[in-house]
Amino acid sequence: MEKGNILEVKNIHKRFTSKGITVKAVTDVSFSVKEGETIGIVGESGCGKTTLGRCIVRAYDASEGEVFYRTEAGEEVDFLKVDRKKMKSIRKEIQMIFQDPYSSLDPRMTVLDIIKEPLKANFPKMSKSEMDAKAKEMAEKVGLNPSYLMRYPHAFSGGQRQRIGIARALVLNPKIIVCDEAVSALDVSIQAQVINLLRDLQKEFGLTYLFISHDLSVVEHISDKVGVMYLGKMVEYAETEELFGTPRHPYTEALMSAVPIADPTIKTERIPLKGEIPNPANPPSGCFFHTRCRYCTEQCVNAAPEYKEITPGHFVACHRAEELTLKGIIMEGNKITLAKNEIPGA
Ligand code: SF4
């Protein structure tokens, strides 16, 4: 593994077969993550981002590929190849936060028991008082009042339930957290609170995040680097500022054109994505995006573009990546403007 990397995802494929039909949910996805970084993965629903996250934590068995991980002890392992016993010990270091704070918590358990559950499963010899103390400490870290811990999840709001989910993920002292649409079910103001909490916890515990979301503005807020997925493939990957300011893939451009800009003096052109996302069981020929791309040429219909690095750290899968000038956006806090090359006369 390269120095400084905590995770290296290499050529991951995931296929599902049912009744003789094979669906390629994830095709040949690779990227690496430095310790303490946040990587955002975006795309429309059904693009394979959740499946990719689940393959990385071994909730699904990947059909092909490798996930190299540097453990807390400094050992480099292919997490997909380790045996069950080793996987269990490494799993403590790689946790997941789920989308739906309503259904991911057992309604029959008190909040204290929910937060303690991973400790019971992983440290059977830990005393009850130690577990209680650790769970209470985590509850406080995520802003939950410890005196409410004997209540049940239904007594909490959506934002508070997501805080419970975060405390449950943190109680094992993980190094990596995969956040799968972790704030999507929350109101915008609560989303901001939970994102700020995740950032604070990242600083305090040195966490590394893989942040999966369909919402570009959320991903921009929290990520150091962003990967854009379409129909199971990574089509663009770059540092956040670079990707938003200078997108190189027409799909990224179209996603950005749909982000609302709260300035009536700025006229933006929304780029419509023609039709529905194609059926992954029967994907289009050539470039998978060609049926919806306004820059499509004959070459795009006939040949799949290579995923390559066109400037340092900026990877794109598009035949026309070097020739097109695409529209980007710049986000500063809650303010969104057009990228410099889109402002007339700039
Ligand atoms: Fe569009 Fe062609 Fe690029 Fe695919 S390869 S994104 S169809 S321009």
Side-chain angles (χ1 to χ4, degrees):
M1 289 177 72
E2 204 177 292
K3 198 166 170 247
N5 284 354
I6 186 167
L7 196 71
E8 291 180 2
V9 175
K10 294 195 171 164
N11 311 104
I12 288 290
H13 294 251
K14 177 63 188 171
R15 296 179 283 271
F16 294 100
T17 302
S18 170
K19 295 179 184 161
I21 298 171
T22 298
V23 174
K24 290 179 182 172
V26 176
T27 305
D28 205 14
V29 171
S30 302
F31 61 93
S32 54
V33 186
K34 295 211 180 308
E35 189 154 15
E37 249 182 357
T38 300
I39 305 293
I41 305 284
V42 284
E44 289 165 289
S45 108
C47 72
K49 54 191 188 304
T50 291
T51 306
L52 173 67
R54 288 179 182 225
C55 287
I56 291 170
V57 301
R58 264 183 87 168
Y60 290 157
D61 286 328
S63 307
E64 284 174 53
E66 293 153 324
V67 174
F68 290 105
Y69 170 64
R70 196 184 307 276
T71 67
E72 178 106 65
E75 192 187 351
E76 291 174 15
V77 292
D78 179 352
F79 185 51
L80 305 191
K81 307 265 179 347
V82 295
D83 61 28
R84 294 253 146 212
K85 193 168 163 229
K86 184 95 177 164
M87 181 182 83
K88 204 174 166 210
S89 84
I90 294 176
R91 262 262 179 79
K92 286 189 258 184
E93 300 179 17
I94 307 177
Q95 291 291 304
M96 200 154 179
I97 301 172
F98 298 94
Q99 170 174 12
D100 188 351
Y102 294 89
S103 63
S104 62
L105 306 177
D106 188 334
R108 294 158 305 175
M109 290 171 78
T110 64
V111 169
L112 183 68
D113 283 337
I114 289 171
I115 300 175
K116 268 172 27 181
E117 207 186 11
L119 293 173
K120 281 187 187 161
N122 286 282
F123 301 100
K125 290 188 183 146
M126 190 183 266
S127 71
K128 184 180 173 298
S129 59
E130 262 182 291
M131 283 189 206
D132 285 354
K134 183 100 179 126
K136 281 180 188 159
E137 184 194 328
M138 275 308 143
E140 275 186 75
K141 290 268 184 226
V142 302
L144 289 167
N145 186 334
S147 61
Y148 294 165
L149 295 186
M150 295 316 287
R151 297 184 182 183
Y152 291 86
H154 71 264
F156 293 83
S157 68
Q160 286 171 319
R161 289 187 213 201
Q162 199 52 294
R163 286 171 192 263
I164 299 168
I166 295 169
R168 179 177 57 183
L170 278 180
V171 78
L172 292 173
N173 293 331
K175 293 181 74 186
I176 297 182
I177 299 188
V178 177
C179 305
D180 183 12
E181 299 278 11
V183 296
S184 304
L186 306 175
D187 291 344
V188 174
S189 60
I190 310 294
Q191 275 188 357
Q193 287 174 19
V194 174
I195 287 173
N196 289 338
L197 170 68
L198 288 170
R199 278 177 153 174
D200 292 345
L201 295 169
Q202 181 170 39
K203 273 190 213 138
E204 184 172 350
F205 297 108
L207 296 166
T208 302
Y209 290 137
L210 195 61
F211 202 88
I212 296 166
S213 177
H214 68 280
D215 187 334
L216 235 63
S217 33
V218 166
V219 162
E220 193 277 342
H221 257 65
I222 197 163
S223 308
D224 299 299
K225 292 176 187 153
V226 176
V228 180
M229 286 187 71
Y230 185 76
L231 220 61
K233 291 186 178 181
M234 190 76 88
V235 295
E236 184 160 14
Y237 183 83
E239 291 201 359
T240 307
E241 223 181 288
E242 161 95 3
L243 186 120
F244 279 75
T246 326
R248 297 295 195 131
H249 196 283
Y251 179 57
T252 313
E253 181 195 44
L255 288 181
M256 282 184 195
S257 77
V259 175
I261 294 183
D263 182 345
T265 62
I266 297 177
K267 284 201 174 66
T268 56
E269 179 204 2
R270 182 161 180 162
I271 301 165
L273 279 171
K274 292 182 272 173
E276 292 295 313
I277 193 162
N279 180 356
N282 184 22
S285 61
C287 170
F288 281 6
F289 188 55
H290 88 253
T291 53
R292 304 171 83 191
C293 180
R294 61 179 183 163
Y295 306 105
C296 176
T297 63
E298 210 182 318
Q299 183 193 20
C300 308
V301 179
N302 296 321
E306 190 191 339
Y307 180 69
K308 59 181 184 190
E309 191 171 15
I310 55 165
T311 54
H314 196 151
F315 295 82
V316 191
C318 172
H319 292 303
R320 305 186 63 192
E322 275 142 311
E323 127 205 17
L324 297 170
T325 305
L326 304 178
K327 294 178 186 349
I329 52 178
I330 292 173
M331 296 184 171
E332 280 160 322
N334 291 329
K335 193 164 172 263
I336 301 170
T337 55
L338 297 179
K340 222 170 176 193
N341 60 355
E342 302 312 323
I343 301 169

